[in-house]
């Protein structure tokens, strides 16, 4: 098992290698330093299942940097099966207080998107992370626009954490792609 600080260093290196879809946006390293902008939809896409932990660690690092707590982490059953459960000691080593995290496992992608929209409307939350694996059925411009509008109205940081699958067009103005080199 990798030591927590070695894992954190590896996540920081991976964040520096992440690339943006659009030119002119601040770098992924800046996102990790300052956190993600509030009241906005962000997409973090780990291009393969091997980068799942890096993508999740990057998302948590950004949330912690922004101080956007409490966190509602929504996952599909497929994410739970394929990626395993979130590693509590690792999250604590990164600086996350367990009292600031609620994890919900939903049946499928459509339930994930509905729950994410409901969570993003809740101004009592700091961040909603919606984690899906593979091609997310139902993720399109309309569904992602709902997430973006809900986040803008409530001030919540809304993160689509996608593991594997093709790049899908959506309304997220900020996209970070992970590939481990």
């Amino acid at each position: 098992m990798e030591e927590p600080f070695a894992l954190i260093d590896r996540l920081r290196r991976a964040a520096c290698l992440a690339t943006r879809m659009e030119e002119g946006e601040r770098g992924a390293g800046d996102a990790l330093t300052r956190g993600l902008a509030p009241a906005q939809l962000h997409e973090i896409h780990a291009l393969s299942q091997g980068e799942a932990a890096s993508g999740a660690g990057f998302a948590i690092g950004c949330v912690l940097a922004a101080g956007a707590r409490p966190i509602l982490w929504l996952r599909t059953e497929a994410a739970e099966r394929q990626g395993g459960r979130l590693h509590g000691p690792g999250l604590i080593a990164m600086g996350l207080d367990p009292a600031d995290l609620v994890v919900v496992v939903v049946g499928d992608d459509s339930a994930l998107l509905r729950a994410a929209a409901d969570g993003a409307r809740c101004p009592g939350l700091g961040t909603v992370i919606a984690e899906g694996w593979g091609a997310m059925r139902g993720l399109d411009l309309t569904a992602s626009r709902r997430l973006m509008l809900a986040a803008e109205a409530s001030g919540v940081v809304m993160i689509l954490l996608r593991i594997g699958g093709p790049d899908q067009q959506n309304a997220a103005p900020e996209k970070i792609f992970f590939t481990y080199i």
Side-chain angles (χ1 to χ4, degrees):
M1 183 170 131
E2 195 169 5
E3 291 294 319
F5 295 110
L7 175 61
I8 291 168
D9 287 339
R10 187 166 60 90
L11 291 172
R12 284 188 179 132
R13 283 193 307 276
C16 291
L17 296 173
T19 57
R20 295 279 180 169
M21 189 74 167
E22 298 177 21
E23 292 182 17
E25 293 185 35
R26 61 192 167 102
D30 291 340
L32 189 57
T33 303
R34 291 184 294 211
L36 298 173
Q40 193 171 354
L41 173 65
H42 308 273
E43 179 182 357
I44 298 172
H45 188 173
L47 297 175
S48 72
Q49 293 181 6
E51 287 100 18
S54 295
F58 181 76
I60 286 293
C62 290
V63 168
L64 293 173
R69 301 177 226 178
I71 303 162
L72 173 61
W73 194 315
L74 303 164
R75 308 179 83 202
T76 60
E77 288 177 357
E80 190 84 359
R81 246 188 340 272
Q82 294 173 350
R85 292 198 172 131
L86 297 177
H87 189 250
L91 294 172
I92 292 168
M94 288 185 75
L96 180 64
D97 181 350
D100 286 337
L101 178 66
V102 174
V103 179
V104 177
V105 178
V106 297
D108 57 23
D109 293 332
S110 63
L112 177 75
L113 293 170
R114 281 193 310 272
D118 288 343
R121 289 184 192 100
C122 181
L125 292 172
T127 301
V128 175
I129 299 173
E131 179 185 355
W133 281 58
M136 289 182 65
R137 279 181 275 175
L139 178 62
D140 57 14
L141 286 172
T142 302
S144 58
R145 180 86 173 134
R146 280 189 198 112
L147 294 174
M148 187 172 66
L149 291 172
E152 288 173 353
S154 66
V156 169
V157 174
M158 179 69 232
I159 299 173
L160 277 174
L161 176 58
R162 300 191 49 241
I163 312 299
D167 183 25
Q168 293 174 262
Q169 188 175 8
N170 62 62
E174 185 167 49
K175 297 181 180 188
I176 301 169
F177 292 85
F178 268 87
T179 183
Y180 189 70
I181 297 174

